[in-house]
Amino acid sequence: MHNLMLSASVGGYENSCDGCMLPISDPFYYCSECDFFLHKACAELLRMKRVWHHTYCKQPHILISDKVFHCEMCFHKSNAFAYECSECESRTCLRCVIALTPGARTCLKHEHPLRFYREYKGKCNACSCFSWRAFCCKDCNFVLHLGCFSLPITTQHKCDEHLLSLTDHDDNNYSESHYCDICEESRDPNRWFYHCAICNTSAHVNCVLGKYTFLKLGSIFEETDHPHPLTIVKKKYYYPDCDKCGKPCEDLALECSKSECKYIVHWNCAAPRKLQCLIGWPM
């Protein structure tokens, strides 16, 4: 539905790809009529694809967009591009499809090959959380669960004017330096974090990415019983009462797109149960 044009220059830190929700950092397509951006690679994806890690069904996956879904691999919610199984309708976000493509450059580099084990049980090197399936190294004890494996290598946040880079270890020996510049709480130097080398900004992964990083605010959500389309919003200051539970609509909510209709509900009051309780990353 967009009139896309190819740009030869990078898009700048303020723009994100509407396909994978990651910062624009390569030649990209942009819509000449609205604020819609796509990495060149995301714009040229196959309409149908066989996703090797989805072994339950024999049918190929179909590329979809503009539908809120729960990724079957990383468990995060998104309404960016995804591949949907035409048989069981499970969906995998574009980040995980790319991350799980053999030979792809994903997350931080490791000197040995990593193999995906569905039955692995142990702790992740990035976040120290227990995982039931993970990428493991046969040559050493390096382990990454899928959520950390598919973390964006670079991302943006209002705390810094530059792109923040995913970092695996803090070499600063001063304990007073191990704090998050967003929440101002202490930070474990052995857990991965985002860092700007220019400004010396460091922050928890969860503080940078938050709960809704891959959910496009301002987009339309139609899977409700309200007669008008609803807009996905995040209320920060003015909290009108929810039309279903009567409590203030703080944080994620669904608001009627028609200005004359004042209907608004909490996300968890209106969204299907499978899409509720969005997940964040460990600190």
Side-chain angles (χ1 to χ4, degrees):
M1 296 174 62
H2 297 274
N3 182 24
L4 297 179
M5 301 181 69
L6 182 63
S7 171
S9 61
V10 297
Y13 299 156
E14 71 277 6
N15 297 329
S16 294
C17 173
D18 284 270
C20 63
M21 298 298 289
L22 299 180
I24 292 289
S25 56
D26 298 306
F28 62 97
Y29 284 98
Y30 65 94
C31 179
S32 60
E33 300 174 356
C34 67
D35 293 328
F36 183 84
F37 302 89
L38 281 179
H39 288 123
K40 187 173 183 292
C42 293
E44 297 172 352
L45 287 166
L46 297 174
R47 291 289 185 92
M48 299 184 70
K49 180 183 180 68
R50 291 194 178 275
V51 181
W52 70 266
H53 54 80
H54 185 84
T55 58
Y56 317 109
C57 308
K58 297 181 180 179
Q59 297 300 318
H61 283 55
I62 301 171
L63 187 66
I64 63 170
S65 63
D66 299 326
K67 295 181 180 178
V68 181
F69 64 92
H70 176 280
C71 177
E72 71 163 334
M73 299 303 290
C74 69
F75 309 121
H76 287 284
K77 308 294 184 297
S78 176
N79 56 346
F81 286 14
Y83 276 100
E84 180 183 68
C85 177
S86 54
E87 185 173 332
C88 70
E89 297 185 351
S90 65
R91 297 164 181 175
T92 306
C93 72
L94 217 54
R95 293 182 310 108
C96 285
V97 170
I98 294 171
L100 290 166
T101 299
R105 179 179 179 269
T106 56
C107 210
L108 297 181
K109 290 184 177 180
H110 184 66
E111 58 182 333
H112 308 133
L114 299 179
R115 292 178 173 82
F116 184 54
Y117 292 88
R118 291 185 178 274
E119 305 300 326
Y120 175 83
K121 295 181 180 180
K123 285 189 176 182
C124 170
N125 282 62
C127 65
S128 300
C129 291
F130 192 85
S131 177
W132 282 268
R133 52 180 179 174
F135 285 88
C136 307
C137 177
K138 277 191 170 183
D139 300 305
C140 61
N141 294 323
F142 186 79
V143 175
L144 287 179
H145 81 277
L146 186 57
C148 289
F149 182 81
S150 60
L151 283 172
I153 299 172
T154 59
T155 190
Q156 54 199 5
H157 191 274
K158 62 182 180 181
C159 71
D160 199 289
E161 61 179 321
H162 308 105
L163 282 177
L164 300 174
S165 299
L166 187 63
T167 307
D168 62 346
H169 185 73
D170 195 339
D171 293 326
N172 196 326
N173 294 323
Y174 296 101
S175 59
E176 57 266 27
S177 300
H178 301 149
Y179 282 85
C180 172
D181 287 305
I182 297 177
C183 70
E184 299 183 351
E185 298 291 334
S186 61
R187 182 174 52 79
D188 186 341
N190 295 313
R191 291 189 178 186
W192 290 10
F193 62 101
Y194 280 102
H195 181 69
C196 173
I198 299 174
C199 304
N200 198 28
T201 300
S202 298
H204 294 121
V205 168
N206 196 34
C207 289
V208 172
L209 298 179
K211 295 184 292 184
Y212 316 126
T213 299
F214 307 116
L215 196 61
K216 290 184 276 188
L217 300 177
S219 55
I220 298 298
F221 184 81
E222 298 180 342
E223 298 179 43
T224 67
D225 54 4
H226 187 68
H228 311 137
L230 299 180
T231 303
I232 302 173
V233 296
K234 185 180 179 182
K235 293 295 182 181
K236 296 181 180 180
Y237 306 108
Y238 170 61
Y239 310 136
D241 292 339
C242 173
D243 280 88
K244 286 202 172 182
C245 71
K247 297 180 181 179
C249 274
E250 184 179 358
D251 207 26
L252 198 65
L254 294 169
E255 189 174 52
C256 186
S257 58
K258 293 186 177 294
S259 57
E260 63 272 15
C261 179
K262 303 300 181 181
Y263 182 83
I264 186 170
V265 290
H266 289 110
W267 172 266
N268 285 350
C269 286
R273 185 172 295 276
K274 64 180 180 180
L275 296 176
Q276 296 179 13
C277 302
L278 281 85
I279 300 173
W281 286 268
M283 301 293 271

